[in-house]
Amino acid sequence: METLVSESNLPLFEALASGVRIRIIELLAQEPMVMKDLASAIGLSNSIITMHIKKLEKAELVRIEMIPGKGAAQKLCRLTADRMELVFPRPGIVPRRFHLSSVAIGHFVDFDVKPTCGLATKTKVIGSGFDDPRYFLEPERVDAKILWFSQGHVTYKIPNYLLPSENPEELEMTMEIASEAPSFNEHWPSDIDFTFNGVNLGKWTSPGDFGGTRGKFTPDWWDLSLNQYGILVHIRINADGTFIEGTRVSGYTIHDVGIRKPQWELKLSVREDAEHIGGLTLYGTGFGNYHQDLQFKLSYTGSKSE
């Protein structure tokens, strides 16, 4: 996450000014944890841990999810970022604020995939084995932290928190992705198309499907003969066009893609008419080299009347 050094971000800096909260961040960097397990690991009461978590949540460093538990729902805590860049103000530069959203790998709303394909949570493969697209409909798929397919698409919907008084400047989408080869193959190119709100932004060619060395966050039960990690890809849409990894791939600007729609739609595709049909693997929290899901950062400035 990118953070401007300003008074408006004091809750963030205050959240980091605590040894207990730093310890919580260190634990959550390994894996999401329920509140009572955090309290036990740190040796504090649930009420004190709750107070610290609320400060981290206010600073948008931690997200809380309700999950089923024995007798009652439990609060699962997870980090919303794995790094932070401090941006100091400069003369003549109007500071930009941003809305940050994260969507889990398994929270797709539509799909059409062909084998090889599959999904897995942090603890197991979903379904009875690989290469059966029916398991993309399995209710447990919302817990998926990795998914893969050789051809087809998955589609996600993302809430848009932009207010009428806010002027969008740039949308940055980041995700860890790779190709999908049998086992793994670092020389297995795949053309991956990105469609945002029905606008085909362009494509990025993944060089391969990476393995041989365990991903930084890939669990130990995941066989080392399988793919392990991907590349963190950055897609930016601003007034100058659309850029993937710094290369301009189309002339579509921030004003051409329905940026003010109340919800966005992102479709990731490996098309049957692509030059390189090498599949797609998506890595989320708990797999790969980056502790993140699909992330969407919309930078904006205040309206001219402010």
Side-chain angles (χ1 to χ4, degrees), residues 139-188:
E140 195 177 9
R141 58 96 171 172
V142 298
D143 297 321
K145 301 301 181 185
I146 183 174
L147 67 78
W148 63 95
F149 56 87
S150 63
Q151 186 183 317
H153 74 265
V154 287
T155 301
Y156 296 88
K157 287 192 175 182
I158 306 97
N160 180 11
Y161 299 113
L162 189 71
L163 299 177
S165 61
E166 297 169 347
N167 299 315
E169 297 285 333
E170 180 177 82
L171 175 65
E172 179 182 8
M173 300 178 279
T174 59
M175 61 205 76
E176 186 176 358
I177 56 182
S179 308
E180 162 51 24
S183 183
F184 66 87
N185 188 332
E186 298 189 358
H187 304 285
W188 191 268

Side-chain angles (χ1 to χ4, degrees), residues 1 60 80 98-105 107 155-161 170-175 194-197 201 233 235 237 259 263-268 282 292-299:
M1 61 186 294
E60 299 184 348
T80 59
F98 59 86
H99 297 293
L100 185 65
S101 298
S102 181
V103 178
I105 296 299
H107 288 197
T155 301
Y156 296 88
K157 287 192 175 182
I158 306 97
N160 180 11
Y161 299 113
E170 180 177 82
L171 175 65
E172 179 182 8
M173 300 178 279
T174 59
M175 61 205 76
F194 302 91
T195 303
F196 185 81
N197 287 342
L201 300 176
V233 175
I235 306 167
I237 312 171
I259 200 65
Q263 60 182 10
W264 304 322
E265 184 176 281
L266 177 66
K267 181 179 179 181
L268 309 176
L282 272 172
Q292 71 163 69
D293 295 309
L294 301 172
Q295 285 197 354
F296 302 82
K297 176 185 173 184
L298 179 62
S299 299

Side-chain angles (χ1 to χ4, degrees), residues 53-244:
I53 287 294
K54 284 182 177 179
K55 287 183 179 291
L56 292 169
E57 187 181 25
K58 183 180 179 181
E60 299 184 348
L61 292 172
V62 167
R63 185 173 75 251
I64 297 176
E65 303 171 4
M66 301 303 295
I67 61 172
K70 293 182 179 179
Q74 298 186 82
K75 293 182 178 180
L76 181 71
C77 306
R78 67 170 72 248
L79 289 180
T80 59
D82 65 349
R83 63 193 182 282
M84 182 173 67
E85 178 184 358
L86 290 180
V87 179
F88 285 80
R90 290 179 291 166
I93 302 297
V94 178
R96 293 197 305 187
R97 293 166 288 176
F98 59 86
H99 297 293
L100 185 65
S101 298
S102 181
V103 178
I105 296 299
H107 288 197
F108 51 86
V109 297
D110 184 40
F111 74 95
D112 183 7
V113 301
K114 294 183 178 180
T116 55
C117 62
L119 315 92
T121 70
K122 285 185 63 176
T123 59
K124 65 177 183 177
V125 173
I126 295 175
S128 60
F130 296 156
D131 301 336
D132 190 339
R134 292 179 300 175
Y135 291 115
F136 277 66
L137 290 171
E138 178 70 28
E140 195 177 9
R141 58 96 171 172
V142 298
D143 297 321
K145 301 301 181 185
I146 183 174
L147 67 78
W148 63 95
F149 56 87
S150 63
Q151 186 183 317
H153 74 265
V154 287
T155 301
Y156 296 88
K157 287 192 175 182
I158 306 97
N160 180 11
Y161 299 113
L162 189 71
L163 299 177
S165 61
E166 297 169 347
N167 299 315
E169 297 285 333
E170 180 177 82
L171 175 65
E172 179 182 8
M173 300 178 279
T174 59
M175 61 205 76
E176 186 176 358
I177 56 182
S179 308
E180 162 51 24
S183 183
F184 66 87
N185 188 332
E186 298 189 358
H187 304 285
W188 191 268
S190 184
D191 295 336
I192 299 168
D193 275 75
F194 302 91
T195 303
F196 185 81
N197 287 342
V199 178
N200 191 328
L201 300 176
K203 71 177 181 181
W204 175 76
T205 301
S206 168
D209 188 17
F210 306 103
T213 301
R214 189 168 302 282
K216 182 178 179 181
F217 297 102
T218 301
D220 291 340
W221 67 268
W222 186 256
D223 198 293
L224 199 55
S225 67
L226 301 174
N227 46 12
Q228 296 292 318
Y229 57 89
I231 296 172
L232 192 66
V233 175
H234 301 76
I235 306 167
R236 291 184 172 89
I237 312 171
N238 54 37
D240 297 319
T242 300
F243 301 80
I244 301 180

